[in-house]
Amino acid sequence: MAKESDGVDNPTFEIEDVNHYNIMSSFDTKDPSLEKKKILANARNKLAYTVTDVPPWYMCIFLGIQHYLTALGGIVAIPLILSKDLCITHDPLTQSHLISTIFFVSGICTLLQVSFGVRLPILQGGTFTFLTPTLAMLSLPKWTCPEWTQNASLVNATSPEFVDIWQSRIREVQGAIMVASCFQIIVGFSGLIGFLMRFIGPLTIAPTITLIALPLFDSAGHEAGSHWGISIMTTFFIVLFSQYLRNIPFMIPYYSKDNRKWQYSRTYIFQIFPVLLGISISWLICYVLTITNVFPSKPETYGYFARTDVKGNVLSQAPWFRFPYPGQWGVPTVSLEGVFGILAGVISSMVESVGDYHACARLSGAPPPPKHAINRGIGIEGIGCLLAGAWGTGNGTTSYSENVGALGITRVGSRMVIIAGGVLMLLLGMFGKIGAVFATIPSPVIGGMFLVMFGVISAVGMSNLQYADMNSSRNLFIVGFSIFSGLTVPNWVNKNPTLLQTGIIQLDQVILVLLTTGMFVGGFLGFFLDNTIPGTKEERGIAAWNEVNEANEENCSDVGEVYDLPFGIGTKFCTSSWLRYVPFCPKPRELPFVTHENSNLNNYTETNH
């Protein structure tokens, strides 16, 4: 995700006005490094809007919708994956309420992050890193769904017995997420994230992220297997759009404030919305095949679940307006085993977000985030997870990598656009019909999407190995052993849970959750082995990893403009000398140190202008 910086993320520039940067034209072209800086600076200046720019209001709305649609597939997928283990497979109305709630909370968390967190144009949403430990917790014997809840003909979604079954499970998930999020809040606002990153490298991250998705093959196979033809068709469309047609542009009109007229911009629709387009087309085809009675109408017949009317009257039952609120499913409950399991997801989410911050800064025309901004970003993400738990989304929140990539495609890095996207998510989360629409997606369409998305998540995990020396037998052993153990141990423990009983029920449950969470097993082994088996920093990938992820300490005149707290909090209220020791407060702004060489360069600039 992150790219090599070469130490030239911050070329020298002067501020022409508040929002636009004008690169100095007086570089010494005899110096290759300065020439390289000039080239990169000019490339950055080609952004339509940088991080502090404010596009016209109608552009903010249009681009905000685009970011919302980019995050749509991943956010909708999370409640649908959880539905089986929450015992609501045959309760689409509750599924729609969960979808609306996760959109609502994602909007709140996005506004908090962009306004008071890292302050980069980075969207917040549900995360797959919480899924694996959540599913492991719900697989405990006491949370196993009764068989009758998996039979559509026996489920009465309004009966008190059924409501208590699924609400007791989601309250347990809520409590675990809320307690575990406190750890992230402490790590962020205390500045511990920098200390922890010293011990976490590619050989820890690769097994952890890879094992987020690999254990989900059963869920993907279950959904896709309800009609393999439709699933393969959905996968085909997503692959076609994202891989084969991604470089085909569409001409999109936009208004240029410089020329004061409408112009056309090349927008790669297939590259931005491959999942959304693939799902929509397959969904439409399923609808046509349903109304023409091509699909069987009997539930026991193979292919029935490809029909679009399987979930029946969920659209008519869903309210037009529904305001999600904290504790809507009841008072959260807390268990030790649940908290320990979710902690593995929290740690993975934090490390992934740090990489997202740096990638987002490069793509939005901002300098690398300073430590105080990273600390605030992680702390605010912890608060976001706390809110997600309180509201009962069944998940936490994290920075969305998909939207970081969209910044590079659209060349629009304005944080005002992300604020517009956050407001949109907040508003749409209050319209019950919107969530109900997504709850009616046929199962094989969801399965086809899972095949692609889970595969990509696994590949993202493996891509971290590019920083390490994979010709090293040491590294090959660590990666191979960690990943294979992360698949083998949970599989064995699930089949033999009684063999690990100690006689202490609470301890047994903690052990069971941790050892059935593949990302914990693999990540722990990768972390332990990488930090105990002798190896150089270059061999382990730590040197390259730090070069990519550490902030450039070079003075840059727009650091304060981008990362200071809003409403003058950083410049007016955080001026006391003791606040410089608070990890999440901006440091008092200082003028750049001017050397004799820089002074000559400035004189040269003034002379030539």
Side-chain angles (χ1 to χ4, degrees):
M1 189 184 323
K3 298 178 182 178
E4 190 174 37
S5 63
D6 292 328
V8 290
D9 282 314
N10 298 319
T12 304
F13 56 81
E14 58 186 4
I15 299 180
E16 186 179 58
D17 57 45
V18 174
N19 293 321
H20 299 278
Y21 304 125
N22 192 22
I23 306 298
M24 295 174 62
S25 60
S26 56
F27 282 95
D28 181 4
T29 55
K30 294 181 181 180
D31 188 336
S33 63
L34 287 178
E35 183 63 23
K36 188 174 182 181
K37 288 185 179 183
K38 181 180 179 181
I39 294 172
L40 293 180
N42 288 332
R44 190 181 86 163
N45 218 31
K46 291 180 181 177
L47 284 170
Y49 298 97
T50 59
V51 61
T52 54
D53 287 341
V54 180
W57 64 270
Y58 49 85
M59 286 294 292
C60 285
I61 294 174
F62 176 77
L63 293 168
I65 291 173
Q66 177 176 256
H67 278 280
Y68 165 79
L69 293 175
T70 303
L72 190 64
I75 293 178
V76 169
I78 290 169
L80 296 177
I81 296 171
L82 287 172
S83 62
K84 180 182 177 182
D85 290 84
L86 289 174
C87 312
I88 56 174
T89 302
H90 301 294
D91 184 8
L93 184 60
T94 298
Q95 292 179 26
S96 72
H97 292 339
L98 283 177
I99 292 172
S100 297
T101 301
I102 198 170
F103 273 125
F104 183 83
V105 175
S106 296
I108 295 176
C109 296
T110 297
L111 296 177
L112 285 175
Q113 186 66 276
V114 177
S115 300
F116 299 100
V118 73
R119 304 217 67 207
L120 287 169
I122 192 164
L123 205 75
Q124 304 291 292
T127 168
F128 284 92
T129 58
F130 281 59
L131 269 182
T132 304
T134 301
L135 295 177
M137 180 176 67
L138 292 175
S139 67
L140 290 172
K142 68 175 181 177
W143 298 123
T144 303
C145 293
E147 289 188 9
W148 63 269
T149 61
Q150 307 302 313
N151 189 330
S153 61
L154 299 177
V155 171
N156 179 6
T158 59
S159 68
E161 182 185 7
F162 178 75
V163 171
D164 182 66
I165 284 175
W166 71 262
Q167 286 193 356
S168 63
R169 284 157 176 76
I170 199 167
R171 288 197 298 266
E172 185 78 3
V173 175
Q174 283 184 258
I177 291 174
M178 292 177 70
V179 174
S181 66
C182 295
F183 172 76
Q184 186 170 3
I185 294 172
I186 293 171
V187 168
F189 288 122
S190 68
L192 277 176
I193 183 65
F195 175 77
L196 293 175
M197 288 297 293
R198 298 178 186 177
F199 305 98
I200 300 175
L203 297 179
T204 301
I205 298 303
T208 303
I209 297 180
T210 300
L211 288 165
I212 291 172
L214 287 182
L216 296 175
F217 71 90
D218 187 56
S219 296
H222 179 267
E223 300 290 341
S226 57
H227 195 297
W228 277 108
I230 297 299
S231 300
I232 292 172
M233 179 181 67
T234 305
T235 301
F236 168 77
F237 282 130
I238 296 175
V239 173
L240 176 68
F241 297 146
S242 64
Q243 304 301 321
Y244 294 98
L245 302 181
R246 60 180 178 176
N247 293 322
I248 297 178
F250 279 76
M251 305 305 292
I252 305 295
Y254 72 96
Y255 185 78
S256 172
K257 60 181 180 181
D258 294 330
N259 300 328
R260 296 175 183 257
K261 63 180 182 180
W262 287 90
Q263 296 181 345
Y264 293 90
S265 173
R266 289 172 174 263
T267 301
Y268 296 86
I269 298 294
F270 293 127
Q271 190 173 13
I272 301 173
F273 306 130
V275 175
L276 181 66
L277 290 173
I279 290 175
S280 301
I281 294 174
S282 296
W283 197 357
L284 179 61
I285 292 174
C286 286
Y287 174 74
V288 173
L289 296 178
T290 298
I291 61 176
T292 55
N293 288 320
V294 173
F295 291 138
S297 56
K298 296 181 179 180
E300 64 273 10
T301 307
Y302 181 80
Y304 169 77
F305 289 100
R307 297 180 65 93
T308 55
D309 58 0
V310 168
K311 297 175 182 178
N313 53 0
V314 61
L315 273 174
S316 60
Q317 291 179 348
W320 276 104
F321 182 83
R322 179 181 178 274
F323 185 79
Y325 58 90
Q328 58 186 328
W329 318 126
V331 179
T333 58
V334 180
S335 64
L336 193 62
E337 66 273 13
V339 172
F340 273 94
I342 297 296
L343 274 175
V346 167
I347 295 171
S348 301
S349 175
M350 285 192 295
V351 177
E352 181 184 3
S353 292
V354 171
D356 285 340
Y357 296 161
H358 287 85
C360 183
R362 281 192 292 274
L363 292 173
S364 60
K371 290 181 179 179
H372 69 81
I374 293 176
N375 293 335
R376 275 202 320 273
I378 296 299
I380 291 293
E381 281 195 20
I383 293 176
C385 288
L386 184 65
L387 295 178
W391 256 266
T393 65
N395 200 254
T397 60
T398 190
S399 299
Y400 245 65
S401 304
E402 294 91 333
N403 291 84
V404 174
L407 295 176
I409 297 168
T410 61
R411 306 301 293 166
V412 175
S414 171
R415 61 183 166 214
M416 190 57 66
V417 168
I418 302 298
I419 289 176
V423 171
L424 182 68
M425 296 170 75
L426 191 66
L427 294 176
L428 292 183
M430 292 187 287
F431 288 93
K433 298 290 186 186
I434 301 295
V437 167
F438 293 118
T440 62
I441 301 175
S443 295
V445 175
I446 296 171
M449 175 185 67
F450 286 173
L451 292 176
V452 177
M453 293 187 67
F454 294 163
V456 171
I457 293 171
S458 298
V460 168
M462 298 301 293
S463 70
N464 288 277
L465 297 177
Q466 65 183 297
Y467 302 108
D469 179 11
M470 293 314 294
N471 290 319
S472 165
S473 59
R474 170 195 184 274
N475 294 349
L476 289 174
F477 164 73
I478 293 174
V479 174
F481 179 72
S482 300
I483 293 178
F484 195 77
S485 297
L487 293 173
T488 304
V489 173
N491 181 64
W492 182 87
V493 173
N494 278 321
K495 294 179 179 178
N496 304 276
T498 57
L499 297 180
L500 296 175
Q501 291 181 353
T502 62
I504 305 173
I505 297 177
Q506 291 78 8
L507 179 60
D508 291 344
Q509 291 175 340
V510 169
I511 293 173
L512 201 59
V513 169
L514 292 181
L515 293 185
T516 54
T517 304
M519 60 179 288
F520 169 78
V521 175
F524 173 78
L525 289 174
F527 173 82
F528 176 78
L529 295 173
D530 188 36
N531 284 279
T532 55
I533 298 178
T536 64
K537 287 189 175 182
E538 289 74 17
E539 182 183 16
R540 297 170 59 194
I542 298 295
W545 182 263
N546 290 338
E547 184 178 346
V548 170
N549 287 299
E550 285 183 358
N552 195 321
E553 298 298 332
E554 199 176 303
N555 278 320
C556 189
S557 51
D558 70 341
V559 168
E561 182 73 24
V562 175
Y563 297 109
D564 269 2
L565 289 166
F567 314 120
I569 296 175
T571 54
K572 295 178 182 178
F573 303 104
C574 295
T575 55
S576 301
S577 58
W578 62 271
L579 286 174
R580 69 172 58 244
Y581 301 106
V582 177
F584 54 86
C585 277
K587 302 299 182 288
R589 192 176 300 179
E590 299 175 356
L591 292 174
F593 179 71
V594 179
T595 62
H596 179 70
E597 182 181 352
N598 289 336
S599 178
N600 291 338
L601 180 60
N602 292 334
N603 292 335
Y604 179 82
T605 303
E606 293 173 1
T607 302
N608 283 275
H609 285 276

